[in-house]
Structure formats: C-alpha cells, structure tokens
Amino acid sequence: MAAAIRGGLSALSKGLSAHWLQQSSRGLRVAHGLCCASQSAQAAPPAHADSIFRVTMIPGDGVGPELMTAVKEVFKAGDVPVEFEEFHLSEVQNTASEGKLEEVLGSMRTNRVAIKGKIHTPMEYKGELASYEMRLRRKLDLFANVVHVNSLPGYSTRHNNLDLVIIREQTEGEYSSLEHESVTGVIACLKIITREKSRRIAKFAFDYATKKGRSKVTAVHKANIMKLGDGLFLQSCAEVAEFYPKIKYENMIIDNCCMQLVQNPYQFDVLVMPNLYGNIIDNLAAGLVGGAGVVPGESYSAEYAVFETGARHPFAQAVGRNIANPTAMLLSAANMLRHLNLEYHSHMVTEAVKRVIKLGKVKTRDLGGYSTTSDFVRAVIDNLHPTHLR
C-alpha cells in the first residue's frame, strides 16, 4: 500500500511539478532569491523594457472597474511595460454569454496571465447552477487559490505583524454545482472530494511552504462529521506530508480554526483546505489585517495565473462613490508583475502602496479615514519613485 501511494505521488509530482512549478517559478521564489531580486530591483530602473507583456483584464462587477482604473493609472505613471486586453464579463449587467466567455478564455489562454475583479454571482436560479466565475476556474483548471494575509505597517489592528498564507482548492468541494430536488421540498447538494485533487492541492501547499521558507502546513477539515469526504482530504494531506519531513504538519477542524485565528493567529503559517472552508477563512483572515480592501490574492493552474483580491467582494454599495480602497488590487497587480519577472516595477508599486499606508496621511474610509479612491491613487503615484520624496 505504501509503495502504491509513493508511486502515485511520484507520478503526480513529475506531472504537476515539472509543469506547474516551471510555469509558476516566477511567482514562487525561494526567500533568498526574492531578497536578492528585490535588492537588485531597487538599485536602478531598467533602461527600457525588453518587451511589452500582454495581460487579460476582467474588471468584473461592483467597484471592480474603478479598481482596474487605479491599476491602469499607477502602471501608466510607473511606465510599467504591460498592455491590457480588457473584457467586460458580468452576469448582473447582462454582458455575460457563452460567446463572451469563450472570448475571455481565448485571451487568457494566449496571455497565460490575467487580472480580474469579482464577477458577481446572482442568488436567483435561472437554469444554470455553475456561475461564470466557477466556469472560468474549471475551464482553466485554476485549482489553487493563494491568499497572503500580511499586516500593513502603519495600520494597527488587534493582531499586528501577522504573516500567514491560505491555500484553497477551488475546483471541487461544495462548489461542484451538483444540486437537485429529490422530492418536493428536499434539495440535495453534492460535495465532491477526490483523491487526485486533494493530493494536488496538498502538494501545492507543501511546495509553496518549501519555496517560501515556511515551516508549517495546517490542513483544515471537518472529518469528524464528513468522515468520508473530508476524511479523504485529510488522508491525502497526511500522505503528501510524509514526503516533506522538514515541514511540520498539523490538522485542525474548521470551527476550531476560525476561533484560533481570532484568538491566536500567530500559531499559523500555511493553511490548506477544501473550497468552502477556504472562502470562509479568506474573509475571516482578511478582517484581521484591515478587511477586504487590503489583502491580495492569486489563483494558479499548471499553465495560468490569475491575480485578484484575496477576499472577493463586489462592494456594490460603493459603486460610483469614489470610496473603494484600491490597496488589495494594487498589491495583486504588483504580485502579477513579480510573476512576469518585472521585479523592479513590482517592488516600485508595492513599496509605494505600503509607504502611503505607513505615512497614514491618506486613508480610505475602510481604514478610518476620509480620503477618496482618487486621493489614494494620487498618493501612490507620488510615491512611486523614492527620489521624488523629500
């Protein structure tokens, strides 16, 4: 049995690592490599861009278009060599169709990198259970969602100096879109957990921890109740953990994990979990460091990378009011630049955003201030080049 497991994981490792890690090594660098790259990136700006990178942009719903405008303005001011192919895909604005979806997918498959806002999913059932957001993930096999929850210097919360990573499997679980009415008044929703995808996300988490110099991976589950489904996920994580003896492995029940994150989040390093738990924990953890407006996120397949906010909210009540916090989207955009090997520009944008927050003179409403989105963007642009600072 052990030999069979080892052989299966070895095959998975060759298939996934050789492909995904080769594609994503730009975004998942060893801590030392990141440090050296950052130091060289800070030395001097490139004389000129060797090429222009084409990136698919999907503004999404709510304040998504406003946040994308912020990204474009900062990129223009920073002379970032990126050209966007912009597509408007929305279920609530009736701009979504199978033809439009295929057009977006074609662009993403060509460019391999995208930045997107939240595509809002209406609660009303209109004959299709799978949302366009879910169809995008499945068609591109964007199985791994990564949210780095990091405290921002200059903005104090109950828990400061937080640094943890949430890795979520996002192609199966409760989001399988398999529901039916077995008899009148009785709905069955199927939660799908497979050994293959559980091992794949577990391996992703351990590879991430290894490359980022992190020391512990915690698998989050509810195997005490869902003994077969979450039991399989937990078993798969434990099997993969055996191949990473230098990484400490633990598991924790989801409800206890929520409480522990609120009481003592410092005990966590990298957390890996099925789909629904990841959605919940992403939002809970974002609240620990300032909310949905400050936490970046990204999703990976073996071939593609999509950058978005860590806590996905359309923030529809803020549309057109110029009050949304663009921090999360700008940091996601900076992470995208790092993925594209544009280290100088990535560092420039990241540091400009962090400098604005640290100075504390320009704060959007969610951070306790009165500044507008435009005020924040202007402040970031003013801080793009350190030589301009007094």
Side-chain angles (χ1 to χ4, degrees):
M1 181 63 180
I5 291 173
R6 187 175 296 273
L9 282 172
S10 177
L12 176 65
S13 175
K14 291 178 181 178
L16 179 59
S17 296
H19 199 182
W20 175 81
L21 290 177
Q22 180 181 9
Q23 293 291 333
S24 299
S25 60
R26 297 175 294 183
L28 300 179
R29 303 186 186 282
V30 187
H32 173 71
L34 276 174
C35 179
C36 293
S38 295
Q39 290 174 354
S40 62
Q42 296 177 53
H48 58 84
D50 294 330
S51 60
I52 300 296
F53 293 85
R54 295 181 69 84
V55 170
T56 304
M57 173 180 279
I58 308 170
D61 293 307
V63 296
E66 297 173 50
L67 299 181
M68 291 305 178
T69 297
V71 171
K72 289 185 283 189
E73 289 178 359
V74 170
F75 275 26
K76 181 178 180 181
D79 197 24
V80 177
V82 166
E83 182 178 287
F84 293 112
E85 288 184 2
E86 191 168 338
F87 296 89
H88 292 275
L89 186 67
S90 169
E91 293 187 62
V92 296
Q93 298 179 33
N94 297 319
T95 60
S97 64
E98 290 302 320
K100 175 68 74 171
L101 179 62
E102 287 304 316
E103 190 179 352
V104 173
L105 287 168
S107 173
M108 294 174 77
R109 287 174 177 136
T110 299
N111 297 329
R112 296 181 179 270
V113 177
I115 185 169
K116 64 178 285 295
K118 168 65 177 174
I119 302 174
H120 183 60
T121 303
M123 286 187 285
E124 298 81 9
Y125 174 59
K126 298 181 179 180
E128 176 59 59
L129 290 171
S131 67
Y132 279 84
E133 186 93 60
M134 279 303 305
R135 278 186 267 181
L136 273 176
R137 294 178 204 166
R138 290 177 187 167
K139 287 180 178 292
L140 297 176
D141 195 26
L142 294 165
F143 69 93
N145 177 244
V146 181
V147 175
H148 187 183
V149 180
N150 204 6
S151 295
L152 294 170
Y155 182 70
S156 181
T157 59
R158 177 176 180 178
H159 301 291
N160 295 309
N161 301 314
L162 284 182
D163 182 10
L164 57 93
V165 177
I166 300 160
I167 295 178
R168 165 192 178 190
E169 204 295 322
Q170 60 175 8
T171 59
E172 57 175 14
E174 297 84 355
Y175 291 61
S176 300
S177 303
L178 297 173
E179 302 181 64
H180 66 276
E181 188 173 28
S182 51
V183 296
T184 302
V186 179
I187 302 294
C189 303
L190 301 183
K191 171 178 178 174
I192 307 299
I193 298 290
T194 63
R195 185 181 300 276
E196 178 185 358
K197 291 189 176 183
S198 296
R199 286 180 177 176
R200 180 171 68 168
I201 196 65
K203 187 178 189 308
F204 183 100
F206 278 96
D207 283 342
Y208 184 99
T210 300
K211 289 182 173 293
K212 292 292 187 178
R214 292 180 173 267
S215 60
K216 184 171 73 171
V217 171
T218 302
V220 181
H221 65 95
K222 192 64 177 174
N224 58 323
I225 301 299
M226 286 170 272
K227 300 181 188 300
L228 297 182
D230 279 23
L232 177 59
F233 176 82
L234 190 58
Q235 178 188 0
S236 299
C237 289
E239 291 169 355
V240 171
E242 293 180 5
F243 292 85
Y244 298 83
K246 294 183 180 180
I247 304 294
K248 184 179 180 181
Y249 170 69
E250 294 180 349
N251 71 78
M252 186 174 291
I253 295 173
I254 176 64
D255 38 340
N256 184 33
C257 180
C258 291
M259 180 179 68
Q260 294 296 329
L261 275 167
V262 173
Q263 289 185 326
N264 179 25
Y266 302 101
Q267 66 186 284
F268 297 107
D269 195 352
V270 175
L271 300 93
V272 61
M273 61 202 73
N275 211 334
L276 179 60
Y277 309 153
N279 191 7
I280 295 168
I281 295 296
D282 283 348
N283 285 267
L284 188 157
L288 297 176
V289 295
V294 300
V295 179
E298 53 223 54
S299 296
Y300 294 102
S301 73
E303 300 178 75
Y304 311 110
V306 176
F307 296 83
E308 55 198 328
T309 56
R312 300 160 180 164
H313 294 282
F315 201 19
Q317 65 271 29
V319 173
R321 297 172 60 193
N322 197 25
I323 61 173
N325 187 344
T327 298
M329 192 62 79
L330 289 173
L331 292 177
S332 296
N335 291 341
M336 179 190 74
L337 296 178
R338 184 174 294 111
H339 180 79
L340 292 170
N341 276 336
L342 294 171
E343 294 285 352
Y344 169 80
H345 297 91
S346 172
H347 179 81
M348 175 181 65
V349 173
T350 300
E351 290 304 306
V353 172
K354 290 183 177 180
R355 194 176 295 116
V356 170
I357 292 176
K358 187 174 183 178
L359 290 174
K361 295 179 180 179
V362 180
K363 291 183 180 180
T364 48
R365 294 189 183 186
D366 58 320
L367 299 184
Y370 298 95
S371 301
T372 64
T373 306
S374 301
D375 294 334
F376 192 93
V377 171
R378 279 194 295 270
V380 170
I381 290 173
D382 289 342
N383 281 274
L384 284 175
H385 306 288
T387 53
H388 293 176
L389 299 178
R390 296 181 181 178

